[in-house]
Amino acid sequence: MAKTKPSVAFIGTGIMGAPIAGHILDAGYPLTVYNRTRAKAEGLIGRGAVWADTPAAAVADADVVFTMLGYPTDVEEVYLAGDGVLAAAKEGAVLIDLTTSSPELARDIAEAAEVTGKHAFDCPVTGGEQGAVNGTLTLIVGATEHDIEPVRGLLETFGSTIRCFGGPGKGQAAKLANQVALSASMVGMADALSLAQQCGLDLEQTREMICSGTGRSGAMESLAPAALEGDFKPGFKVEHFLKDLGLALALAEEKEIALPGADTAFTLYDMLEAIGGGALGTQAITLLYQEEADAVAAGLDWSLYRGADAEEDGCGCGHDHGDDGHDHAHDHGGDGHECCGGHGHHHGHGASGE
Ligand code: NAP
């Protein structure tokens, strides 16, 4: 008799979650989905996924639960609320968080899960929207090879490379290291294109030359083409990158080390978000180097940037922190926005941040 496949719940069907859940569905797993905005799950429902009205209803009968949410605050809410995933999942269920989130929160969730007879691990991903669509993501796992054995087949439906880092939170820490590497290459990409432009070089030719030699990077290979075409839609949102860099810089502070590359990138992306670019793709960093008209055409507004005024007020970050839905007081991100070269680095957003 054929063995029935484990039932799967998937919460968070956005840019990354929807195609990942699609691969799980295509591989024949019974799938229940929930997302804050139902419209983003309709494509999956049309292909046979079952809709649930709440996270609790989604996970009640699931053997395996995936979450792919925006921010640590979303993860906290979905897992740890009284009617959240931890309380509602059945005993023995495996809970896998794909969100890029806080290592500390991942450890908290894993511990709480064990207490209630469930198993949870962090599994952030890299490879971008294209990797999710193609099912070729790299999975960065906060568990051992042994731990993931029961769900390996399921993970392989959307991941072509699986790296296990050994224990809860370590997947998130490794993913943050990846984001630190990415941040410096994004700044390098934008710096190089700006210099080439000012020298009157052919930008596509310059980009191709760089990609053929030691200056190449994922940023130059995959994101510069969109920037050069004036395509700034996400992909990977600026506000999510800021969240990641905030988490990485908070971790660096905890370890008492400096990350000057990531710090520079944080400052630039903070500026981009302050002028209205939070929902654009990360390639929009190139707009900071362009004439104001290009920024306006992309929907940005430099009058929102209050760097100079704010500096006089004792805050040099140029970011209006009061009204943009960010949760700068999130437990898992650090201890306060300091500004002036010392960003608080805990850019955890509230659920209203998008
Ligand atoms: P996204 O499109 O904003 O997807 C996040 C989804 O989570 C949204 O559909 C959102 O609902 C849903 N959500 C948030 N809070 C929820 C809650 N409390 N209950 C139910 N659903 C909730 O973002 P994404 O690009 O897919 O990224 C997801 C995560 O992966 C982020 O942590 C990001 O940093 C990381 N990541 C992204 C990429 C990339 O290239 N995009 C690559 C690697 C990792 P709504 O539809 O209502 O907003």
Side-chain angles (χ1 to χ4, degrees), residues 15-16 35-37 40 69-70 100 235 237 240 243 354:
I15 292 174
M16 297 295 283
N35 189 61
R36 188 171 50 200
T37 307
K40 292 186 194 168
L69 307 166
T100 304
K237 293 174 195 167
H240 282 164
K243 171 257 303 178
E354 288 169 88

Side-chain angles (χ1 to χ4, degrees), residues 11-17 34-37 40 68-70 74 77-78 99-100 125 128-129 175 235-237 240 243-244 354:
I11 302 176
T13 55
I15 292 174
M16 297 295 283
Y34 172 75
N35 189 61
R36 188 171 50 200
T37 307
K40 292 186 194 168
M68 184 43 129
L69 307 166
D74 299 326
E77 179 191 321
V78 166
T99 316
T100 304
V125 305
E129 183 186 12
K175 167 72 185 186
F236 181 39
K237 293 174 195 167
H240 282 164
K243 171 257 303 178
D244 297 353
E354 288 169 88

Side-chain angles (χ1 to χ4, degrees), residues 17-298:
I20 292 172
H23 290 299
I24 295 170
L25 199 55
D26 289 344
Y29 291 87
L31 183 71
T32 303
V33 290
Y34 172 75
N35 189 61
R36 188 171 50 200
T37 307
R38 178 175 166 145
K40 292 186 194 168
E42 289 297 349
L44 292 162
I45 297 165
R47 290 162 57 192
V50 174
W51 171 257
D53 283 328
T54 62
V59 306
D61 295 322
D63 299 306
V64 183
V65 176
F66 287 100
T67 46
M68 184 43 129
L69 307 166
Y71 300 94
T73 43
D74 299 326
V75 174
E76 206 170 346
E77 179 191 321
V78 166
Y79 277 84
L80 302 178
D83 56 352
V85 166
L86 265 187
K90 65 186 186 189
E91 218 176 304
V94 181
L95 318 175
I96 305 170
D97 185 27
L98 306 173
T99 316
T100 304
S101 179
S102 139
E104 186 186 349
L105 179 57
R107 288 192 293 272
D108 289 350
I109 290 171
E111 256 173 51
E114 289 307 319
V115 169
T116 54
K118 299 150 200 179
H119 311 289
F121 62 85
D122 44 308
C123 182
V125 305
T126 184
E129 183 186 12
Q130 210 48 53
V133 169
N134 295 340
T136 54
L137 291 168
T138 292
L139 312 189
I140 312 168
V141 183
T144 63
E145 296 280 352
H146 179 261
D147 292 334
I148 68 163
E149 215 33 61
V151 291
R152 180 177 282 279
L154 193 42
L155 296 175
E156 285 173 348
T157 64
F158 58 91
S160 54
T161 304
I162 301 178
R163 301 257 182 236
C164 289
F165 284 86
K170 290 193 169 161
Q172 294 298 353
K175 167 72 185 186
L176 295 179
N178 180 75
Q179 299 308 80
V180 166
L182 174 62
S183 71
S185 63
M186 292 303 295
V187 176
M189 179 270 282
D191 280 1
L193 292 181
S194 177
L195 183 64
Q197 185 175 27
Q198 292 309 315
C199 294
L201 301 178
D202 181 289
L203 295 182
E204 180 50 25
Q205 192 187 5
T206 308
R207 190 194 74 79
E208 284 172 15
M209 173 277 294
I210 292 172
C211 288
S212 72
T214 52
R216 74 170 160 269
S217 66
M220 198 56 94
E221 283 167 355
S222 310
L223 291 163
L228 291 177
E229 280 170 21
D231 173 4
F232 299 111
K233 67 175 184 304
F236 181 39
K237 293 174 195 167
V238 164
E239 57 196 9
H240 282 164
F241 200 22
L242 265 175
K243 171 257 303 178
D244 297 353
L245 293 178
L247 289 165
L249 291 166
L251 195 55
E253 248 168 47
E254 194 186 306
K255 304 293 178 198
E256 299 185 353
I257 57 163
L259 300 176
D263 221 356
T264 300
F266 185 94
T267 302
L268 292 172
Y269 277 104
D270 199 33
M271 190 185 288
L272 183 54
E273 191 189 48
I275 63 174
L280 297 180
T282 49
Q283 69 275 21
I285 188 174
T286 55
L287 287 168
L288 295 177
Y289 299 67
Q290 298 296 317
E291 298 294 332
E292 186 165 359
D294 295 311
V296 169

